[in-house]
Amino acid sequence: MRGDAYAIKQEIADLAEAPLAAVVSSLPLFTRPLPQRLQLLNDAFDVMAPGAPFIQFSYAFVPAVPAKDGITVECSDWVMMNLPPARVWIFRRSMR
């Protein structure tokens, strides 16, 4: 699928009949202001099943979205075989 990830709700409106199981992303999130990154994650969580992960591949030392405002963050070890080394961040909406 090709579309604007920052408009995920509109992009998948006609495609998803059930909540998504996960979103996998390698977007360069740090190129956008934090409010836009938060909105992207919250919009993705809105179309996913409760507890589903937003999985982000990144070269960053810190998460693109901090663990706050109902979002939890997990991080993998560095994948040193990747050039440059990368890691995987897993964001979830806290169960309310």
Side-chain angles (χ1 to χ4, degrees):
M1 175 179 165
R2 178 180 258 173
D4 181 0
Y6 288 87
I8 190 171
K9 287 181 175 180
Q10 295 81 14
E11 294 289 346
I12 69 160
D14 295 332
L15 298 175
E17 293 181 19
L20 301 179
V23 169
V24 179
S25 164
S26 61
L27 292 169
L29 294 178
F30 282 102
T31 63
R32 300 287 182 109
L34 180 57
Q36 285 183 342
R37 290 180 259 155
L38 279 167
Q39 188 64 53
L40 169 70
L41 258 64
N42 281 311
D43 286 350
F45 292 140
D46 287 346
V47 298
M48 290 191 293
F54 183 100
I55 303 164
Q56 174 70 32
F57 296 93
S58 174
Y59 306 110
F61 289 97
V62 297
V65 175
K68 66 176 193 174
D69 298 328
I71 296 174
T72 63
V73 181
E74 300 172 49
C75 172
S76 73
D77 291 333
W78 285 101
V79 179
M80 300 307 285
M81 296 298 290
N82 193 72
L83 292 176
R87 56 176 32 167
V88 177
W89 297 91
I90 300 173
F91 300 90
R92 293 180 196 274
R93 181 180 274 167
S94 300
M95 302 303 283
R96 301 173 204 231

